[in-house]
Amino acid sequence: MNRTRSRSAIARSHDSEPFPLGLSFPLLALGLLLALAPGRARAAGKVVADLVYAEVDGRELHLDLHLPAKAKDAPLVVYIHGGGWRGGSRKQAPWFLGPLAEAGYAVASVEYRFSETAPFPAQIHDCKGAVRWLRAHAGRYGYDASRVAAIGCSAGGHLALLLGLTDGDKRLEGTVGGNLDRSSGVAAVVDFYGPTDFVLRSKDQPQQTDKKGGKVFQLLGGPVQENLDRARLASPAWHVSPGDAPILAFHGTADRTVLINQSERLRDACTQAGVPIALHRVDGAGHGDSRRKTPQEGTGETMYFATRENRGRLIQFLDAHLKKSPRPTGVTAPGAAEKSVR
């Protein structure tokens, strides 16, 4: 959706040291792996860590920039980590960080407030504030602020979808970090097994939505069935409208944490609205990536999500939407059919 935005002050930022100083162990390990692979060390570029994109109630919110070797005019991918909206870290390197660097993408890994101290919509307010900050500071770091996508896993996939489906929605835009003269919209979204409809989830997973201690219960600050309007506001599938960003989604058929009907619900809503979506069903995969008991027949793949085929799908999707002319908000890009992945 497109709506008029107001203006605000530019938030400050802090520079950190280039790779590998200042990294947590997961990111350092990734850097070492890239260095050991032929041609990948150059693609890894550098990391500018612990940039402050906002301060909320006396707390700084940070992001880390992973810049490719050729950072000038590189498209930008905003990565949002999972953890049930109450855990996880931007420092945990996902499997696709290396392939994105190799393909010439800059990646911003974003911190957001957790539900135990800040219920929804604080999380999407933070993510939108981070995108606005990234656009305001693109000139300093060299990436192209007109070509931005979002990617996330689980709770991070949920927030990435909200970035792509609620551009300019005043209820969810917030003012975190200022830069309100900049867009918080993204041109494409990649979602790994994120929840999309909390009303639907309350029917088949009420322990998560309507019982104290459940992740969605905590996110919303109460049970879904007593807060239906709030639940719909927090549900990406309820925001789909013509002209929204195209979506690439992956979901395991054996996922018992976030059922695959959440991605199917999103697919149906997008299809009805004419929003391009490709949903890849990963046969036998649970929630999050894991090692197969035996290598996949025919390919030898040992993981469910981190495969050569899915890496190709990811890069091809992003290239189609970010490496051509920037897609103006409100213009629909070509769609893609649903496929099943073994």
Side-chain angles (χ1 to χ4, degrees), residues 121-234:
Q123 296 72 31
I124 190 61
H125 283 176
D126 295 350
C127 293
K128 285 176 176 284
V131 174
R132 293 194 300 266
W133 185 95
L134 286 161
R135 283 202 162 96
H137 293 79
R140 182 171 188 176
Y141 299 104
Y143 53 81
D144 185 349
S146 70
R147 298 184 291 165
V148 182
I151 186 170
C153 304
S154 193
H158 161 262
L159 295 171
L161 287 169
L162 285 179
L163 282 178
L165 299 172
T166 67
D167 182 23
D169 189 325
K170 292 181 180 179
R171 299 169 299 173
L172 298 178
E173 198 67 30
T175 59
V176 171
N179 300 302
L180 298 184
D181 57 328
R182 308 293 177 135
S183 170
S184 67
V186 296
V189 178
V190 181
D191 163 41
F192 286 90
Y193 38 84
T196 72
D197 186 343
F198 294 136
V199 178
L200 171 62
R201 200 175 183 191
S202 71
K203 298 176 182 178
D204 47 34
Q205 290 186 303
Q207 71 277 12
Q208 292 290 348
T209 61
D210 290 86
K211 294 185 178 179
K212 193 172 183 179
K215 295 174 184 176
V216 180
F217 184 106
Q218 185 170 342
L219 177 70
L220 300 181
V224 164
Q225 288 301 315
E226 295 179 14
N227 297 275
L228 289 175
D229 288 343
R230 190 175 182 84
R232 294 186 186 101
L233 181 65

Side-chain angles (χ1 to χ4, degrees), residues 223-312:
V224 164
Q225 288 301 315
E226 295 179 14
N227 297 275
L228 289 175
D229 288 343
R230 190 175 182 84
R232 294 186 186 101
L233 181 65
S235 299
W238 286 85
H239 290 278
V240 176
S241 61
D244 283 340
I247 297 167
L248 174 65
F250 298 85
H251 211 125
T253 60
D255 193 335
R256 297 295 176 262
T257 301
V258 177
L259 302 182
I260 196 171
N261 67 351
Q262 291 288 304
S263 287
E264 293 169 342
R265 163 75 171 98
L266 178 68
R267 174 205 59 197
D268 293 346
C270 288
T271 300
Q272 183 175 358
V275 174
I277 183 169
L279 169 58
H280 294 283
R281 300 163 55 92
V282 184
D283 289 344
H287 194 70
D289 208 1
S290 60
R291 187 173 296 277
R292 295 172 180 266
K293 292 182 179 179
T294 59
Q296 184 182 32
E297 184 178 353
T299 67
E301 294 286 2
T302 59
M303 306 297 290
Y304 282 99
F305 289 97
T307 65
R308 289 182 293 273
E309 186 176 29
N310 286 342
R311 168 180 169 165

